[in-house]
Amino acid sequence: MSELSGHGAPIHIPADRLTLQGVTPAAAADLSAGGGGGFDWLEGGPFEGTLEAAGMMLKACEAGVHRPEFGLFVLVRKEDGRAIGGMGFHGAPDEEGKAEIGYDLVESARANGYATEALRALSEWALARGDVHVLMATIEQGNTPSQGVAARAGFVRATVEEERSVQEQRDAEAALQLYVRRD
């Protein structure tokens, strides 16, 4: 587990009211063990998706394939330094430059535009890199707030063919909708 020692200073991506702070392998280990990862969370945090992402990041570290720039970020409010959610990649981009993003917020932080702001900042940062050409977000069909976040952050509903291809690759049920943002 020498990979858990880290890769230097974590990445910080600024947004208007937030900073997206890269999660180190040690912080991911703490989060996946039920801790706060060294962040001062709002009550109710970290939320389930952030904990799952921390576990996925740990597995990537253990397999030697973790790339910090395509890991997990904690959304920290600038006004008070409180962590309000997590956002990150499901892994590095594939050979075609496609990468998937997932996100969640502590319930009390929702409906304030934070997720849209963070998704916009992370998307612009990723697409400016040159090795990412398409960002994807799979969202449950009934999750209209999350669909709105994706749309406001510049994502559009994928074509039927793109959606079908992703569902076939994952054996996913049709209740997931695919949103994409291209460079």
Side-chain angles (χ1 to χ4, degrees):
M1 290 260 269
S2 61
E3 277 293 311
L4 293 182
S5 61
H7 298 274
I11 297 167
H12 286 65
I13 300 170
D16 184 32
R17 300 172 295 156
L18 304 167
T19 300
L20 286 71
Q21 295 186 15
V23 173
T24 64
D30 186 54
L31 282 165
S32 67
F39 295 93
D40 181 18
W41 288 90
L42 279 184
E43 186 175 326
F47 211 66
E48 183 179 328
T50 299
L51 299 175
E52 289 174 13
M56 288 171 35
M57 185 179 146
L58 274 181
K59 287 180 183 169
C61 288
E62 291 165 355
V65 297
H66 173 62
R67 291 177 53 193
E69 68 273 28
F70 295 109
L72 172 62
F73 295 84
V74 169
L75 313 179
V76 178
R77 285 193 306 211
K78 291 179 180 177
E79 71 181 58
D80 60 6
R82 303 292 302 271
I84 61 167
M87 183 173 290
F89 298 92
H90 292 204
D94 66 15
E95 60 281 344
E96 296 173 10
K98 293 180 184 174
E100 186 171 353
I101 292 179
Y103 49 89
D104 69 6
L105 286 181
V106 173
E107 288 188 36
S108 63
R110 295 179 185 171
N112 292 297
Y114 292 126
T116 299
E117 179 181 326
L119 183 57
R120 193 176 293 129
L122 186 60
S123 298
E124 290 169 2
W125 177 84
L127 291 169
R129 292 178 44 84
D131 56 350
V132 177
H133 305 293
V134 178
L135 293 171
M136 303 180 302
T138 51
I139 303 171
E140 292 176 7
Q141 191 169 343
N143 191 345
T144 52
S146 187
Q147 293 166 17
V149 165
R152 288 187 298 275
F155 285 69
V156 295
R157 185 82 189 270
T159 66
V160 171
E161 295 79 24
E162 288 172 316
E163 199 166 74
R164 187 175 298 128
S165 172
V166 167
Q167 288 174 346
E168 288 171 359
Q169 290 171 8
R170 299 184 182 173
D171 264 348
E173 64 256 12
L176 293 176
Q177 296 179 342
L178 179 65
Y179 286 77
V180 295
R181 180 169 170 179
R182 302 177 200 285
D183 60 359

